[in-house]
Amino acid sequence: MAKTGVVGLLKGKKPGRTVAIRADMDALPMDEANRVPYASQIKGKMHACGHDAHVTILLGVAKFFSSVPDQVKGNIKWIFQPAEEGGGGGRIMAEEGVLENPKVDAIFGAHVFPLLPVGKVGIYEREGLAAADRFTLKIIGKGGHAASPHLSKDPILAAGHLITQIHSIVSRNVNPLESGVITIGKVSAGTASNIIPDEVELIGTVRSLNPQVREELKSRIELVTQGVARSFSMDYRFDFEYGYPVLINNSEMSKLVGSACSRGIGKENVEVLKPSMGGEDFAYYLEKVPGSFFRLGCRNEGKGIVHPYHSSLFDVDEEVLPFGVEMFIRIIDQYLELEIA
Ligand SMILES: [Zn+2]
Ligand SMILES: [Zn+2]
C-alpha cells in the first residue's frame, strides 16, 4: 500500500476485536555523524527520527504473537507506513483502506522520545501533536527609486506592519486557554539599497491543537493581510496549505495504554505529557478509528544519547527495542483481553 507500505495480519484462532499497530519507516535526507556499528551506510540518508527503531519494535511484536497464535483472540494488524516526514503516508494508507478488511477497532502507535530516559513511557491524554499548516503571503506594491518613495508603493514598509499585526493574532484572537503559534520563517524582497522592490514574500507556519483555532488563525491571517494591503493601496496574495491535522487521542485508549504499561513498569514510569506543537501523520488514522499515540523514552545520558530529533547525532538507546516490544504486547494483550502478558 502507498507504494512502499507493508501490512501484516495475524488472524486469531478465536473471534474478537481487531487491533492495529503502526510504525513509520522513513529516514531523513542528511548525513549521520554517529560512529556506531549500525550507523547509516547510505550517504545523505539517516534515521535521525528513530523510525528504524519503530520498524524493529513492530517486528518484535510480530515475532512474539506469531509464536503463540493459538492464544490470540481477534486479529492483529501491523502497519508499516512510508513518508511520515512530510509525505503524509498515513493519509494515503488510510485512504487506500488499511483500516478496513478486517475493520480496525483500535489503533496504537509509538514514537521514540529523546526527552525521556529509556524505560519510561509518555502518554497524551487527548491532544498529542499540533496541526501543522503552511502559508505564503505576497504584498504587491510598485517598485521605483529609493529616493522618490512617493512615486512608488513600498511593499517592504507594508510587510513590516504586516509582520507585527500578524503577531497580534494569537495574543488577541485566541482564547488564552487554547494554543496557537504563527511563525514567519522566511521573508524575501529587494536587491539593492537604492531600489524599492515590487513585492515582498513572507512564508510561515501555523500550529494549533483545536480545529476551530486552526480555522480562526487561517482566516485572521488573510483578513489582517487584506487590511494592511488596503491601507497602503496595495494588492496581496494569500496561499494556505493544510498539513497534518491535530493528533487527538481517544482518552479511553490513552488510559488503556497507561494502565497496560504501568502493569509492566509501574505507574511511576508512565508520565502524562503536555502536547507538542510538532506534527505527526498518525493523526489521520485517529480521525477514523479510536486509538492512542504515545512515547517511548530512548534517552541515556550515560551513553551520551541525548540529541534531539533530526540532529545528525540523534541516536536511541537500543534498550528501547525490547522495551517497546513489551509495551506493545501488554497493550494488545489488554485490548484483546488475551491474558498472555
Ligand atoms: Zn521526524
Ligand atoms: Zn518521527
Side-chain angles (χ1 to χ4, degrees):
M1 302 187 83
K3 288 192 189 148
T4 55
V6 177
V7 185
L9 178 66
L10 179 68
K11 287 187 182 157
K13 291 272 149 66
K14 288 169 230 151
R17 300 194 274 191
T18 297
V19 61
I21 54 175
R22 169 272 209 170
D24 41 10
M25 305 188 290
D26 51 329
L28 286 151
M30 55 194 286
D31 288 322
E32 178 151 7
N34 287 312
R35 298 279 171 265
V36 288
Y38 50 86
S40 173
Q41 297 185 6
I42 303 172
K43 223 186 139 23
K45 299 220 190 298
M46 174 188 175
H47 268 296
C49 206
H51 299 183
D52 51 345
H54 304 161
V55 171
T56 311
I57 290 168
L58 254 65
L59 289 172
V61 179
K63 194 171 175 185
F64 173 78
F65 282 108
S66 21
S67 72
V68 289
D70 294 346
Q71 297 183 57
V72 177
K73 278 193 290 186
N75 306 302
I76 308 172
K77 204 181 259 192
W78 280 263
I79 300 175
F80 295 96
Q81 173 220 299
E84 193 285 320
E85 300 282 359
R91 179 180 52 78
I92 299 166
M93 296 283 281
E95 280 171 6
E96 290 185 5
V98 76
L99 301 173
E100 304 298 325
N101 243 338
K103 192 172 166 10
V104 169
D105 298 303
I107 186 164
F108 298 96
H111 204 297
V112 291
F113 194 51
L115 298 180
L116 275 182
V118 71
K120 285 197 183 245
V121 164
I123 61 173
Y124 301 106
E125 282 168 339
R126 267 180 61 78
E127 290 82 3
L129 289 110
D133 307 319
R134 200 183 120 100
F135 64 89
T136 304
L137 290 173
K138 263 192 188 149
I139 295 285
I140 305 155
K142 199 171 85 175
H145 198 289
S148 313
H150 58 296
L151 300 177
S152 59
K153 291 178 184 169
D154 182 1
I156 289 186
L157 176 61
H161 281 264
L162 180 57
I163 291 167
T164 38
Q165 292 261 8
I166 281 176
H167 282 293
S168 74
I169 293 174
V170 171
S171 84
R172 299 295 93 175
N173 297 105
V174 176
N175 180 331
L177 298 177
E178 297 280 355
S179 307
V181 180
I182 302 174
T183 292
I184 296 164
K186 190 173 176 215
V187 178
S188 333
T191 51
S193 66
N194 59 352
I195 303 169
I196 289 172
D198 284 314
E199 56 181 50
V200 177
E201 186 183 69
L202 311 171
I203 298 176
T205 182
V206 182
R207 307 292 170 111
S208 54
L209 292 172
N210 167 332
Q212 274 129 34
V213 172
R214 187 185 199 186
E215 289 308 312
E216 175 76 6
L217 294 177
K218 178 190 172 200
S219 71
R220 282 280 155 190
I221 294 171
E222 175 154 30
L223 265 176
V224 165
T225 307
Q226 201 176 50
V228 170
R230 181 175 289 175
S231 72
F232 286 96
S233 306
M234 290 179 200
D235 285 329
Y236 74 95
R237 277 243 306 276
F238 171 67
D239 287 304
F240 192 88
E241 252 176 75
Y242 284 99
Y244 297 165
V246 190
L247 181 145
I248 304 176
N249 282 340
N250 174 290
S251 3
E252 287 306 308
M253 295 299 140
S254 295
K255 261 189 214 143
L256 187 145
V257 169
S259 86
C261 295
S262 297
R263 280 168 72 178
I265 55 176
K267 253 192 175 139
E268 65 282 9
N269 288 311
V270 178
E271 285 190 18
V272 177
L273 303 173
K274 287 217 167 95
S276 136
M277 296 312 267
E280 164 61 63
D281 75 352
F282 192 77
Y284 290 109
Y285 304 111
L286 291 175
E287 285 188 331
K288 292 190 172 3
V289 293
S292 188
F293 183 78
F294 60 101
R295 302 282 190 182
L296 296 164
C298 67
R299 184 184 186 89
N300 188 326
E301 304 260 349
K303 295 182 185 168
I305 298 171
V306 296
H307 299 281
Y309 297 134
H310 298 200
S311 149
S312 60
L313 289 168
F314 175 82
D315 196 359
V316 301
D317 184 336
E318 287 184 288
E319 284 305 313
V320 74
L321 304 175
F323 177 77
V325 172
E326 185 192 333
M327 293 307 108
F328 271 109
I329 291 172
R330 288 186 179 280
I331 290 162
I332 293 171
D333 185 73
Q334 190 161 327
Y335 182 74
L336 294 180
E337 298 169 355
L338 304 181
E339 290 163 17
I340 308 174

